Amino acid sequence: MKNFTSVYDIDNLQDTIAKALEIKEKPLENPTKGKGKTIGLVFLNSSLRTRLSSQIAAQNLGLNVLILNAAQEAWNLEFADGTVMDGNTVEHVKDAIEVLNQYCDIIAVRCFAGMKSKEDDVKESILSQFLKYAKVPVVSLESATRHPLQSLADCITITENWKEKRKPKVVLTWAPHIKPIAHAVANSFTEWMQQMDVDFVITNPEGYDLDKKFTKDTPVIHNQDEALKDADFVYVKNWSSFDDYAAMPKVEGEWMLTNEKLENTHQAKVMHCLPVRRNLELSDEVMDGDHSIIYQQAKNRIFSAQTVFSDILDNLNKD
Ligand code: CP
């Protein structure tokens, strides 16, 4: 693997999940694989899980870890080409990346959707600059349209919790929120579920359909109760409108996930990438109850990151 920005950067999903589960069994088995090498974790946006799980994963492999909370600690970056930088921006992103090239063997970056320009977000205007200017492998720590390390952790978690022979039914359900949220987690989960041996459906209110580029042939059901019927896994996530970009069209009915809504399922396991707004997206009783595998999901972020870093290091160590 050279870069890791989507499911399309891995060769075989089942093999990758199996590798992650092996790493979970023995996370300290290769403590010198990254010896003498440095990973830069660059955060243009806030994080708890991604920052810490990536740091643990890198340390387990013996990598030196540099963390730059760029939004708070670095110079205000300019992303547009050809700009006369006589305003608030102090350093062009291409200069910043060139400098990171001098210090790092792997650059990992978090660059959320700006949620202002659909065109900029869809074309990954920031991640694409990292891919263009980095001379070392680039790992996405969540970009405008995808969150692949989260999705790999989600696949690991589903695999761990499914022992039956039949395919599980996995439902991605929209949940309420107070502000416009990006599509990255939902898009990415959708792409990865399309590669898994599962029956996958999405449920969201009218006006909230995701980008067809990601949903493809996945059924989108606008009635949540109908979609939840017989579910084995329910993934809860908010996102704003894609068609009317970043808008929050009025929603009919109650979409927060509760125990009552789970009665129609096969004792479904409940997932969420976190952070979650309790009693808005899902109820306390769901979050704290037996259905939830949400903290297990968060733990698996370590092994998702470690699997990806390990694969990239294998490639670097070959050169
Ligand atoms: N799920 C996730 O990416 O969490 P953070 O935003 O805290 O990193």
Side-chain angles (χ1 to χ4, degrees):
M1 188 189 303
K2 163 99 171 57
N3 300 316
F4 180 74
T5 64
S6 81
V7 71
Y8 303 111
D9 290 320
I10 58 168
D11 289 335
N12 180 301
L13 179 53
Q14 285 312 315
D15 290 351
T16 304
I17 294 168
K19 179 79 194 158
L21 290 169
E22 274 174 34
I23 287 174
K24 186 170 181 175
E25 282 287 307
K26 293 181 183 170
L28 298 176
E29 191 158 68
N30 287 299
T32 58
K33 190 181 270 198
K35 192 165 186 291
K37 294 204 162 49
T38 298
I39 186 168
L41 306 176
V42 180
F43 286 87
L44 301 177
N45 314 96
S46 304
S47 172
L48 188 155
R49 280 142 292 275
T50 306
R51 185 186 182 287
L52 298 180
S53 62
S54 299
Q55 186 172 3
I56 296 167
Q59 286 170 346
N60 285 351
L61 293 164
L63 279 160
N64 297 319
V65 185
L66 301 178
I67 297 175
L68 183 64
N69 295 311
Q72 293 86 31
E73 298 165 358
W75 301 110
N76 202 15
L77 290 174
E78 175 61 54
F79 294 98
D81 274 334
T83 310
V84 177
M85 287 174 56
D86 58 357
N88 289 332
T89 55
V90 178
E91 177 156 36
H92 200 281
V93 70
K94 68 172 124 177
D95 300 322
I97 297 168
E98 269 302 348
V99 173
L100 291 170
N101 282 330
Q102 316 302 314
Y103 303 154
C104 302
D105 300 280
I106 304 172
I107 299 173
V109 60
R110 166 163 281 199
C111 47
F112 284 175
M115 302 305 287
K116 291 194 173 81
S117 159
K118 183 178 192 171
E119 190 192 344
D120 281 353
D121 291 346
V122 166
K123 73 177 185 201
E124 293 281 6
S125 62
I126 300 179
L127 181 66
S128 62
Q129 302 217 42
F130 277 81
L131 291 167
K132 182 172 171 188
Y133 296 115
K135 296 188 172 83
V136 299
V138 172
V139 175
S140 166
L141 301 173
E142 185 171 344
S143 67
T145 65
R146 293 182 171 99
H147 194 355
L149 285 176
Q150 178 66 53
S151 305
L152 176 54
D154 301 336
C155 292
I156 297 165
T157 311
I158 289 173
T159 302
E160 285 181 314
N161 283 281
W162 191 248
K163 302 295 171 214
E164 294 188 38
K165 288 226 163 58
R166 69 176 172 85
K167 284 186 194 184
K169 178 178 176 182
V170 179
V171 180
L172 170 63
T173 181
W174 182 92
H177 210 283
I178 57 159
K179 61 180 189 179
I181 298 291
H183 308 96
V185 170
N187 285 342
S188 196
F189 185 70
T190 297
E191 271 187 335
W192 288 68
M193 284 305 106
Q194 288 162 349
Q195 308 275 329
M196 288 276 280
D197 192 22
V198 300
D199 288 323
F200 178 55
V201 303
I202 301 170
T203 182
N204 56 255
E206 300 273 2
Y208 285 86
D209 288 2
L210 293 165
D211 185 351
K212 198 79 183 123
K213 175 181 141 190
F214 290 95
T215 56
K216 295 184 180 132
D217 294 333
T218 297
V220 179
I221 300 169
H222 294 132
N223 180 321
Q224 189 190 40
D225 290 334
E226 182 189 325
L228 290 176
K229 188 167 174 350
D230 298 334
D232 298 295
F233 294 89
V234 179
Y235 200 106
V236 182
K237 186 73 186 91
N238 170 266
W239 59 88
S240 54
S241 176
F242 178 73
D243 287 340
D244 185 5
Y245 197 65
M248 298 171 68
K250 190 172 178 335
V251 172
E252 300 296 332
E254 178 52 75
W255 281 76
M256 178 175 80
L257 193 75
T258 58
N259 274 350
E260 193 185 340
K261 284 184 181 281
L262 289 170
E263 279 172 11
N264 225 4
T265 68
H266 283 152
Q267 292 293 312
K269 299 291 186 195
V270 174
M271 304 175 72
H272 191 291
C273 63
L274 297 175
V276 67
R277 287 186 181 245
R278 283 171 175 253
N279 303 312
L280 181 66
E281 296 178 74
L282 49 72
S283 63
D284 275 338
E285 60 182 5
V286 171
M287 188 69 200
D288 300 326
D290 293 340
H291 289 280
S292 173
I293 51 172
I294 292 170
Y295 300 135
Q296 183 181 352
Q297 228 182 313
K299 180 168 182 176
N300 283 335
R301 291 294 308 274
I302 298 170
F303 312 111
S304 152
Q306 196 167 330
T307 305
V308 169
F309 299 163
S310 177
D311 196 295
I312 289 173
L313 284 170
D314 284 343
N315 258 355
L316 289 177
N317 290 337
K318 254 193 267 166
D319 297 339

